[in-house]
Amino acid sequence: MKGKLLPKLMIFCFFLVSALQAQETLDRVVSVTFEDQSPAKALQHLRKSFDLNIVFADSQLPKRNSFPLSFKRQSIRSILNSILANTGLAYHSEPEGIVITRVMLTPKIRSRYTIQGIVEIGGSAETLIGTNIFAINHNEGTHSNEQGVFSLTLPQGRTRISVSYIGFHTDTFSINLQQDTFLRIYLHRESQQIEGVVIPAAMQGDGMNIGKYSFDLEQLQRMPKIGGETDLIRAIQMLPGVQTGPDGVGGVFIRGGEAGHNLVIIDDVPVYNFNHAVGVLSVFNTSIVKSAELLKGAFPARYAGRLSSVLDVRMRDGNKEFWTASGELGLISGRLTLEGPIVKNKSSLLIAGRASLLNWMLKPYSEHYKSRKGEKGQSTYNFYDFNAKFNIELSAKDRLFFSFYRGQDHFGNTGDSQDTLSLLVDDRFETYRFRKVYHEKLYWTNTGSSLRWSHILGKKLFSNTTFTFSELNVNIATASSDTVNVFSVAAPKVHFDADYGRYLSSIRDFGARSDFHWDIAPGNKVRFGLRVQHNHFVPGIQEYDDDFQEYISPDGKISRSVHTTGWAFYLENEKRMLSRRLYLNYGLNWSGWNVDQQNYSTLEPRLALSYLLSDSTYLEASVSRMSQFLHLLSGTNVGLPTDLWVPSTGEIGPELAWQYTLGLRKNLNFGWNIALEGYYKEMKNLVNYSEGADFLDDWEQNITIGSGRAFGMDFMLRKNNRIIDAYIAYSLGRTDRVFPKINLGERYPFKYDHRHDLKIWSDFRFSSKIDLSASWTFSSGLATNIPLEAFTVEIPGVSPPVTVIDYGPKNSRRLPAYHRFDFGLNFHFTSPKGTEHKFQIGAYNVYSRRNPLYYQLRTVFIAENGVLKKDSELVGVHLLPFLPSINYSIKF
């Protein structure tokens, strides 16, 4: 008996001593610093640094996990708990050391568990918005939200997950789901991927696509450029249903709406003027834009405040892995971007700047042009943009983001001309010397910032709390003088006349909002939130007399400043039914506005549905009611920032619109897709200047309120494969207006009533290093007013007679049809050290089509029967002829 007991006792003592040693090892206090958040590398570092026997399998460990990089005087037990948190792994002590294994199931068994996670770009840790996460064997899927976070509830057991995003390698992996799990997924760019250049590859069936376009900004860089400048708004103008003036001037007009009917936001901050150079360029620096989504129909309830469209732009967060820099130089501007981690894998900073180079060409050209007219002076134009973004990961559930934007445009025009005239009066000469001097300045500034806290409240509930600030300031100053020196024998005389004017306008917006995203169940998501904003409007005019001192207010007063408070609450549900064949998005937005002791309130129901008729055919429809408490008054033809933002007041209610859409889309064979969409929109309480008024008038006394309508269809046919990506977009539409104080109260065509609009775009990929993009645009001419005849009217007590020009009915004439061809040839190459180079050559308006911006009446003198007579002729004003494009960018 003793012979058998002694070996057993020795074995027991051996295991007891081993266990005690293991426990002592786990309680050992150490200090350690890791290079990154790779669990495998961290465990290897522990094993090597402290002579630990840690047993684990690389295949079980995630590539990355969120744990502190530095530990000071902590136990090895505590360090292991941090490294393995949320990995589904645990450790236990055995004689051979510390063994890491899968977590064993407890007796409590659940039938479904939730996978929660975040999707990031491998190599930079930049989050990805709208990533597709799909459980293949359960036919369940979801998308990552605006912060790259997702939640998916699935049955217990092994499942296969596919994670995909346009332009990235698809990641497919298996997971044995035995508990609620948190995943951090990294996708890597696919250099050969060419799907989704401007229009989404979408003809995807999961979700609503009617009136919705997402932009792949990596491929956007290949589009033809203006003077080497890539521009997001230019890409939007190539979509069906989007109208603009010649060469992009005048703004963006979507489905018959006004330029002010588009909600443009950057990181939740509203932008009130997104144009540079009267609309030829925009304020968006595409080198730092992460995503952009345009909605022109089927509006979700979370968006409110405009009638026609939403452009939701998100800035990149910045590289959290390492510092990088990139630069770009073209004929119009140059830009520089710097980004990198403040604390590696925890926080990042992105800084980007862009400045114009137009004065290099404009100043000498304008000086030469003025000198030919006998005038000294020049015209100048500059703009700049500055963007910054900082983000920090406070914990696995909390992130803080700060975004900032500031941009400014400055236009100047000066002139100084002199002339001499000698006359023989009463047998003596009198000499007159004339001098005219003028100075004009126009500059405007956009400023915006946001502070956002993203928080994971639970495994299915996410929240965003955001504070925003936005401001647009416009300042116009003009000064001119006319001097006449009279030299005569009697006595010299001096006649001096001067005029000075200044125009100021601003809108300032402070806002706060909380948004919640609740994944109730697979195929059922709820969003709800509350927004509050305060606006301060300051329009004004100041004028001075010839001594520049005595103040003269127009009409006895200055346009008053106005303070307003607005709010909105929304509830939105996204649901899939009938075995996922039917997709529904329905909700309600309740908005309010307080101004001049007047309270307005509007209810805006929204409904959108998509039904899968067959494996590749979708029938889609939507109805949306939209309201708008801000109004944009335009007193020019070219969309200058003198267009005035004004609020709804006690006398002016909100603008309202109903929009109905019906569409069909189908995925064809061999990479072909087709989409057809019809729409009808009614607009009420539209605000416009009365006939003859402009921005220098007191706006409250010179407006008229009317209505409008728009209807038509948008068509797109697209081909997409690894060699060519091309589409044809055609729109047929009609839009008109009725105002009591315009056109004698009769209905008239809206200026941007393009009856036909055709856009063709293609990108040919010859190799990974060379590609060619080209586009051709055609649209019916703008509706306009052209003088029909002029006659004089004698008014009692007024001398001389007044000349009256008859334009006929409002917008009864048409400018010539607009068309233009652009192309760009792109070269891509990478140096042995990894530096990326891109070079593009191309041209805008290749055959130099003289598309008129507008017509003006010019006085000419003609000889008729030996007599010199004065006559008038219409002369078209043109903007952009043939313009070559050269662009070079580098990233290192």
Side-chain angles (χ1 to χ4, degrees):
M1 181 69 178
K2 291 182 179 179
K4 295 181 179 180
L5 181 61
L6 183 60
K8 293 180 179 180
L9 183 61
M10 292 177 62
I11 293 172
F12 172 79
C13 291
F14 172 79
F15 280 104
L16 178 63
V17 171
S18 299
L20 291 174
Q21 289 178 343
Q23 293 301 316
E24 290 179 358
T25 299
L26 290 173
D27 293 330
R28 180 180 172 186
V29 176
V30 298
S31 297
V32 64
T33 300
F34 302 111
E35 293 182 358
D36 57 34
Q37 291 175 313
S38 166
K41 292 181 179 179
L43 294 174
Q44 292 170 2
H45 186 68
L46 279 176
R47 183 163 55 188
K48 183 177 180 181
S49 299
F50 305 105
D51 195 25
L52 301 175
N53 187 18
I54 304 177
V55 180
F56 63 93
D58 286 343
S59 60
Q60 289 184 324
L61 295 172
K63 295 180 180 179
R64 287 172 52 85
N65 194 29
S66 180
F67 60 87
L69 293 175
S70 181
F71 296 86
K72 292 186 177 180
R73 297 197 56 77
Q74 294 193 33
S75 67
I76 296 211
R77 184 192 309 276
S78 176
I79 297 173
L80 287 174
N81 287 338
S82 295
I83 294 174
L84 300 179
N86 299 318
T87 62
L89 301 174
Y91 60 89
H92 63 274
S93 300
E94 293 186 2
E96 62 266 35
I98 302 171
V99 180
I100 295 175
T101 60
R102 291 281 181 188
V103 175
M104 300 299 294
L105 288 176
T106 61
K108 183 179 179 181
I109 300 176
R110 294 166 51 188
S111 60
R112 296 178 74 89
Y113 294 100
T114 298
I115 300 175
Q116 188 183 80
I118 186 169
V119 185
E120 298 178 343
I121 299 175
S124 70
E126 181 91 33
T127 58
L128 279 172
I129 301 173
T131 307
N132 297 300
I133 301 95
F134 192 73
I136 300 173
N137 50 324
H138 295 297
N139 197 32
E140 295 285 356
T142 187
H143 299 87
S144 60
N145 64 13
E146 291 81 1
Q147 285 70 48
V149 177
F150 70 91
S151 176
L152 184 61
T153 300
L154 299 170
Q156 173 187 343
R158 185 165 296 280
T159 185
R160 191 162 180 79
I161 304 294
S162 173
V163 185
S164 62
Y165 190 82
I166 296 173
F168 288 76
H169 287 284
T170 297
D171 186 13
T172 304
F173 58 91
S174 295
I175 182 172
N176 188 15
L177 194 60
Q178 302 294 344
Q179 63 176 4
D180 293 334
T181 304
F182 182 87
L183 298 177
R184 192 177 292 265
I185 301 172
Y186 295 90
L187 293 185
H188 296 271
R189 295 193 183 278
E190 185 177 80
S191 59
Q192 299 299 321
Q193 184 89 9
I194 68 168
E195 287 80 6
V197 177
V198 178
I199 310 304
M203 305 292 182
Q204 305 175 55
D206 198 20
M208 172 63 63
N209 286 283
I210 191 169
K212 174 181 174 182
Y213 299 91
S214 297
F215 297 86
D216 180 357
L217 296 164
E218 286 291 319
Q219 302 293 337
L220 177 65
Q221 300 292 332
R222 296 178 180 168
M223 293 190 68
K225 309 180 191 311
I226 296 183
E229 184 72 18
T230 303
D231 195 83
L232 174 61
I233 298 299
R234 289 269 157 190
I236 290 174
Q237 292 169 1
M238 290 297 294
L239 296 175
V242 180
Q243 314 288 356
T244 187
D247 298 314
V249 171
V252 175
F253 304 84
I254 295 180
R255 290 183 170 174
E258 309 275 355
H261 288 172
N262 308 308
L263 176 62
V264 180
I265 51 178
I266 304 179
D267 282 353
D268 295 316
V269 179
V271 180
Y272 292 103
N273 180 35
F274 54 82
N275 290 326
H276 285 312
V278 301
V280 175
L281 300 173
S282 73
V283 300
F284 299 106
N285 184 344
T286 54
S287 65
I288 52 92
V289 172
K290 173 163 63 175
S291 69
E293 185 175 79
L294 176 71
L295 299 171
K296 55 189 181 74
F299 301 104
R302 61 186 178 271
Y303 294 112
R306 300 293 189 274
L307 300 189
S308 291
S309 75
V310 177
L311 177 60
D312 191 347
V313 181
R314 302 282 170 172
M315 288 174 55
R316 292 197 294 108
D317 300 329
N319 195 314
K320 291 196 289 188
E321 297 282 347
F322 51 86
W323 282 93
T324 67
S326 62
E328 190 169 329
L329 184 65
L331 296 178
I332 291 179
S333 70
R335 65 182 79 185
L336 182 65
T337 304
L338 182 67
E339 60 182 301
I342 303 298
V343 177
K344 190 173 182 180
N345 299 315
K346 283 289 185 182
S347 63
S348 64
L349 176 66
L350 182 149
I351 299 175
R354 177 175 64 159
S356 72
L357 306 174
L358 289 170
N359 274 340
W360 293 5
M361 298 178 288
L362 182 59
K363 287 176 68 173
Y365 174 81
S366 61
E367 287 177 352
H368 175 71
Y369 177 78
K370 289 176 182 288
S371 67
R372 292 177 58 184
K373 300 192 302 179
E375 181 179 315
K376 295 180 180 179
Q378 62 183 11
S379 298
T380 61
Y381 176 72
N382 283 300
F383 71 83
Y384 76 84
D385 296 298
F386 175 78
N387 296 83
K389 189 168 185 178
F390 170 77
N391 84 94
I392 181 170
E393 188 173 334
L394 302 174
S395 69
K397 294 185 177 182
D398 297 274
R399 286 192 172 193
L400 195 66
F401 302 83
F402 174 74
S403 301
F404 178 81
Y405 167 76
R406 184 176 178 86
Q408 187 176 86
D409 294 67
H410 191 285
F411 171 77
N413 187 32
T414 63
D416 186 344
S417 60
Q418 300 183 47
D419 200 2
T420 302
L421 177 65
S422 295
L423 296 176
L424 183 61
V425 180
D426 297 332
D427 297 328
R428 63 176 183 270
F429 279 98
E430 288 190 354
T431 302
Y432 298 83
R433 289 184 180 174
F434 305 92
R435 184 183 183 188
K436 181 176 180 61
V437 180
Y438 62 90
H439 297 269
E440 300 170 342
K441 288 186 178 180
L442 165 62
Y443 59 93
W444 61 97
T445 305
N446 270 303
T447 305
S449 63
S450 68
L451 179 65
R452 183 175 80 248
W453 170 41
S454 297
H455 179 59
I456 300 177
L457 292 167
K459 61 185 180 182
K460 296 183 179 182
L461 183 60
F462 318 100
S463 71
N464 281 291
T465 302
T466 310
F467 300 92
T468 64
F469 169 77
S470 182
E471 184 178 43
L472 170 64
N473 282 308
V474 180
N475 197 322
I476 303 174
T478 62
S480 63
S481 64
D482 287 285
T483 305
V484 181
N485 289 283
V486 183
F487 299 94
S488 66
V489 176
K493 298 178 182 179
V494 177
H495 299 279
F496 177 78
D497 183 32
D499 181 52
Y500 174 82
R502 191 180 183 194
Y503 170 85
L504 299 172
S505 172
S506 72
I507 175 173
R508 188 179 301 121
D509 180 324
F510 297 92
R513 61 184 300 158
S514 289
D515 301 276
F516 298 88
H517 185 162
W518 183 16
D519 289 333
I520 296 179
N524 192 2
K525 299 179 181 180
V526 171
R527 292 176 183 257
F528 58 95
L530 175 68
R531 173 182 58 84
V532 179
Q533 70 179 56
H534 176 77
N535 290 90
H536 184 207
F537 300 83
V538 187
I541 305 170
Q542 296 178 342
E543 294 180 352
Y544 295 82
D545 68 354
D546 56 3
D547 61 7
F548 299 124
Q549 293 180 3
E550 182 183 353
Y551 172 70
I552 302 175
S553 62
D555 299 328
K557 68 176 183 179
I558 302 176
S559 299
R560 66 187 179 103
S561 61
V562 183
H563 294 266
T564 67
T565 301
W567 55 268
F569 173 78
Y570 71 89
L571 178 63
E572 173 189 333
N573 190 13
E574 179 182 323
K575 199 167 186 179
R576 291 171 175 82
M577 305 168 63
L578 304 178
S579 301
R580 299 182 64 89
R581 298 183 71 88
L582 176 64
Y583 167 90
L584 287 175
N585 186 302
Y586 56 93
L588 182 68
N589 190 292
W590 181 24
S591 299
W593 188 260
N594 177 267
V595 59
D596 294 342
Q597 299 182 343
Q598 172 76 42
N599 290 300
Y600 294 102
S601 178
T602 62
L603 287 174
E604 304 169 28
R606 316 282 175 80
L607 172 65
L609 63 88
S610 176
Y611 184 74
L612 181 62
L613 296 174
S614 66
D615 290 340
S616 59
T617 305
Y618 298 85
L619 177 66
E620 298 180 330
S622 73
V623 56
S624 305
R625 188 179 195 239
M626 308 291 282
S627 67
Q628 180 167 334
F629 297 98
L630 299 175
H631 317 286
L632 184 62
L633 297 174
S634 179
T636 66
N637 290 322
V638 293
L640 286 170
T642 52
D643 293 354
L644 184 65
W645 283 102
V646 299
S648 292
T649 65
E651 302 297 327
I652 307 169
E655 300 181 30
L656 303 170
W658 281 97
Q659 183 175 178
Y660 310 88
T661 62
L662 179 64
L664 189 72
R665 57 188 175 96
K666 184 176 179 61
N667 299 332
L668 306 174
N669 295 327
F670 308 108
W672 287 93
N673 303 307
I674 189 170
L676 179 66
E677 183 178 342
Y679 65 89
Y680 178 80
K681 180 162 62 176
E682 292 181 339
M683 296 167 282
K684 295 182 179 179
N685 294 342
L686 300 182
V687 180
N688 206 339
Y689 280 123
S690 301
E691 209 144 29
D694 63 22
F695 73 97
L696 290 176
D697 297 322
D698 182 359
W699 68 272
E700 289 188 276
Q701 305 300 319
N702 291 276
I703 60 170
T704 180
I705 299 174
S707 61
R709 63 181 182 179
F711 51 90
M713 71 161 196
D714 298 335
F715 168 82
M716 176 176 284
L717 176 65
R718 184 182 179 203
K719 168 73 172 178
N720 188 3
N721 59 32
R722 304 189 68 85
I723 298 177
I724 180 174
D725 193 350
Y727 68 81
I728 299 175
Y730 171 72
S731 296
L732 174 66
R734 180 177 178 181
T735 178
D736 53 32
R737 299 288 189 268
V738 177
F739 287 94
K741 297 181 182 180
I742 298 177
N743 199 44
L744 302 177
E746 297 293 329
R747 186 177 298 275
Y748 64 92
F750 182 47
K751 176 181 178 181
Y752 294 92
D753 175 37
H754 292 278
R755 193 60 46 84
H756 303 280
D757 195 59
L758 176 65
K759 295 149 184 174
I760 302 175
W761 182 87
S762 63
D763 179 42
F764 296 89
R765 185 72 176 269
F766 299 110
S767 69
S768 61
K769 296 182 178 180
I770 303 176
D771 63 88
L772 173 67
S773 62
S775 63
W776 187 72
T777 303
F778 171 91
S779 64
S780 302
L782 297 176
T784 188
N785 297 316
I786 295 178
L788 301 178
E789 61 178 331
F791 52 90
T792 60
V793 176
E794 294 187 1
I795 302 176
V798 177
S799 179
V802 177
T803 300
V804 178
I805 300 177
D806 179 18
Y807 289 91
K810 177 82 171 176
N811 290 343
S812 58
R813 305 293 292 273
R814 294 276 175 172
L815 294 179
Y818 178 93
H819 52 91
R820 187 189 78 240
F821 176 71
D822 312 323
F823 83 93
L825 183 62
N826 304 281
F827 302 90
H828 315 260
F829 56 94
T830 303
S831 69
K833 295 183 178 181
T835 302
E836 298 178 12
H837 303 266
K838 295 180 182 179
F839 182 73
Q840 186 196 63
I841 57 174
Y844 178 89
N845 196 3
V846 173
Y847 49 80
S848 198
R849 164 72 175 180
R850 303 286 285 176
N851 292 299
L853 185 62
Y854 58 88
Y855 280 92
Q856 65 181 14
L857 207 58
R858 180 178 298 176
T859 300
V860 295
F861 292 92
I862 59 174
E864 186 176 305
N865 299 324
V867 178
L868 193 63
K869 289 187 176 182
K870 184 171 69 172
D871 199 1
S872 299
E873 66 176 1
L874 288 173
V875 179
V877 176
H878 310 278
L879 187 62
L880 295 178
F882 168 80
L883 185 64
S885 170
I886 300 176
N887 179 270
Y888 170 72
S889 64
I890 182 172
K891 182 177 181 181
F892 48 89

